[in-house]
Amino acid sequence: MESIYGYSQEDFENYLIAQGEKKFRAKQLIEWIYRHKIESFDEITNMKKDFIERLKSDFRIDRLECVRLQESSDGTKKFLFKLSDGNFIETVLMVNEYGHSVCVTTEVGCNMGCCFCASGLKKKIRNLDTSEIVLQILMVSLLADVRVSNIVVMGIGEPFDNYENVIRFVRIVNDPLGLEIGARHITISTCGLVPKIYEYADFDLQVNLAISLHAPTDEIRNQIMPINKVYNITELKKAIEYYIEKTNRRVTIEYILLQGLNDTMECANQLADYLHGLNVYVNLIPYNEVLEKPYKRSNQSDMRIFFDVLKRRKINVQLRREQGSDIDAACGQLRSKEMKKEGKW
Ligand code: SAH
């Protein structure tokens, strides 16, 4: 039996046609599932009894079990969900001036092996399926009683290493009859799987792209991000250029500041050179230190100098304000603690 949350309106249309039912019922189904947030098919009032029985035998209306909820002093909430196979995933809700943003996880573990990141401490166990990604949004909106307005695909996992499910997820949450989260309010972040960036540039929805760059040269990037040995920064830049040309959208460049490694004035200038002429916005991110990792957060004054160099070089840049650092909101940290507790580490 399949989860109802893995189906887009179009999938329901195909299902209905195969059942000899009217196609327009797909719209009704989406409304029942995402507007009324039904917990049982019996709540549906505008469909025949035998069709409702059919739905019951073909689909399940599932939930994710929330095993822990941490709340930060700034309102950020971090949910630890247990999947039906016992794996844990993390989802974060952030409150900001433009609404409620949710950061979703796309994989159990991650294979990218970025040296500074807690998520990659354990290899990928499996991809999340579409419904498990959609359910994170639904569960957060139910548990926190909010309307989710923005999504960042920046939780555990490399979304472009689970491309099909992530794209299906985007279509489902974007449905105007359902959760209605505008494509422009959705951002997918990648460590730089170049072929998928090209594919994504050709995707018909106007979803945003963020690139985890974190280094201005191959020399430094090779040290901290193994993916760079597969697709170097020159190839990455070409893909970014293609995306911008194709979509006319500004790309976000994420850059974690790691003490003594990528936070020097020289690095700032090299970064400005690399980004010269690209329609990008740089997010400088204070590193969240990870117990198992040797990397240190840059000190305030170095971050400021780095920021000022980019500003002077006319690069759009912001020093990201931190959220939820008092609740292990740094990628993968809550999950790794829970796994240790359960002896799964
Ligand atoms: N795999 C995707 C998305 C998940 S990671 C990607 O690489 O973009 C989301 C972002 O958090 C990435 O920019 C990642 O490099 C960054 N990140 C990972 N660990 C971090 C830490 N300890 N502190 C701050 N940012 C971190």
Side-chain angles (χ1 to χ4, degrees), residues 159-314:
F160 282 0
D161 198 26
N162 184 12
Y163 191 78
E164 297 302 317
N165 285 320
V166 170
I167 292 297
R168 288 170 63 83
F169 155 77
V170 169
R171 285 203 196 283
I172 293 171
V173 297
N174 177 245
D175 193 319
L177 295 174
L179 293 173
E180 204 188 358
I181 299 168
R184 285 154 196 270
H185 296 171
I186 301 174
T187 301
I188 301 183
S189 176
T190 179
C191 66
L193 295 187
V194 163
K196 292 293 174 200
I197 298 174
Y198 285 100
E199 203 174 327
Y200 186 61
D202 296 331
F203 179 43
D204 58 328
L205 295 179
Q206 296 274 298
V207 197
N208 301 305
L209 174 67
I211 302 282
S212 297
L213 187 64
H214 305 330
T217 62
D218 281 327
E219 196 197 338
I220 301 175
R221 203 163 188 263
N222 282 339
Q223 283 176 44
I224 53 175
M225 299 179 72
I227 191 69
N228 201 67
K229 293 181 183 147
V230 187
Y231 308 109
N232 65 28
I233 62 168
T234 311
E235 291 171 77
L236 182 57
K237 185 169 175 177
K238 279 197 201 122
I240 297 170
E241 279 169 336
Y242 178 81
Y243 174 90
I244 294 170
E245 193 187 296
K246 198 72 209 280
T247 63
N248 229 344
R249 304 189 66 69
R250 175 179 288 179
V251 170
T252 302
I253 301 290
E254 295 159 281
Y255 196 101
I256 304 176
L257 290 158
L258 301 163
Q259 198 180 100
L261 194 87
N262 67 357
D263 66 344
T264 60
M265 268 183 84
E266 190 190 6
C267 285
N269 275 303
Q270 288 167 328
L271 180 62
D273 291 341
Y274 180 76
L275 298 175
H276 180 75
L278 285 180
N279 181 18
V280 292
Y281 192 90
V282 180
N283 247 332
L284 295 177
I285 308 168
Y287 179 57
N288 268 316
E289 291 177 14
V290 178
L291 204 62
E292 295 86 348
K293 303 284 186 182
Y295 302 100
K296 293 267 163 292
R297 166 182 297 204
S298 300
N299 47 47
Q300 280 296 331
S301 59
D302 288 338
M303 292 202 259
R304 191 70 221 182
I305 293 168
F306 199 99
F307 173 85
D308 288 340
V309 169
L310 291 181
K311 264 264 173 278
R312 223 176 22 251
R313 298 276 311 265
K314 305 260 184 307

